[in-house]
Amino acid sequence: FAGYISQVLKNYTDHACDGEYVSLRCPHRTTISIQSSFYGRIVPSHQMCPSRYPHSYATLIKEDVACSVGTSLQKMLDECQDRRSCQFLVNSRLFGADPCPGTGKYLIVWYKCRPNEYKSKVACEDDKLRLSCKKSMVIAIYSAIFGRTQGGGLECPYQNPGMPM
């Protein structure tokens, strides 16, 4: 049980170079929850995903190390979100227009494994939040946020400190 809990609460990172398969997997009774994603190149090829070309040719072309695709997160959400596993071939066609032709790119994905069954609680600022569970059960906090969620509904009323209640 402890091993299962540590797998669920763990943050996972996986990466794959162009032409390789990326494979995300979560344990039984959990699904993939994509946290973040990057596709492009921000480090030189001698540090990650070396060029497939001979070294002499690679020095002739200027490698772009400021290259990224804005659709990476949405594509990962489309491919893998809420599935137990997903696998696909990484290449620039998957992400739309190639931002830096001639530069080998890579995908990095950060994800967690969300339990199929979970409870969520909300407490507003200055409120107390009480968590409890049945005897012989264990509380495991999967994630927590302080503040307002981006694009989420207003779960706590907005209070202007200068205005009377």
Side-chain angles (χ1 to χ4, degrees), residues 76-140:
M76 290 308 303
L77 290 168
D78 294 345
E79 294 290 327
C80 300
Q81 186 74 1
D82 297 328
R83 297 183 182 176
R84 182 145 174 250
S85 67
C86 75
Q87 181 180 26
F88 57 89
L89 183 67
V90 175
N91 64 59
S92 60
R93 291 182 302 283
L94 189 69
F95 297 98
D98 191 339
C100 47
T103 295
K105 290 162 282 299
Y106 50 85
L107 173 70
I108 304 175
V109 184
W110 295 269
Y111 69 102
K112 292 179 83 166
C113 295
R114 178 174 34 223
N116 291 347
E117 294 181 38
Y118 62 91
K119 294 180 181 181
S120 62
K121 293 254 186 170
V122 174
C124 297
E125 196 166 358
D126 297 326
D127 287 348
K128 288 184 181 176
L129 178 64
R130 179 174 164 77
L131 303 177
S132 61
C133 61
K134 297 175 186 170
K135 208 175 194 177
S136 78
M137 299 292 282
V138 175
I139 293 175

Side-chain angles (χ1 to χ4, degrees), residues 20-36:
E20 295 178 350
Y21 281 90
V22 68
S23 182
L24 312 183
R25 291 200 188 309
C26 283
H28 184 63
R29 296 177 57 189
T30 67
T31 56
I32 296 167
S33 175
I34 301 293
Q35 304 296 300
S36 187

Side-chain angles (χ1 to χ4, degrees), residues 5 9-10 20 27 35 67 73 77 115 131 134 141 152 162:
I5 290 293
L9 298 179
K10 180 178 169 184
E20 295 178 350
Q35 304 296 300
C67 168
L73 177 59
L77 290 168
L131 303 177
K134 297 175 186 170
I141 298 175

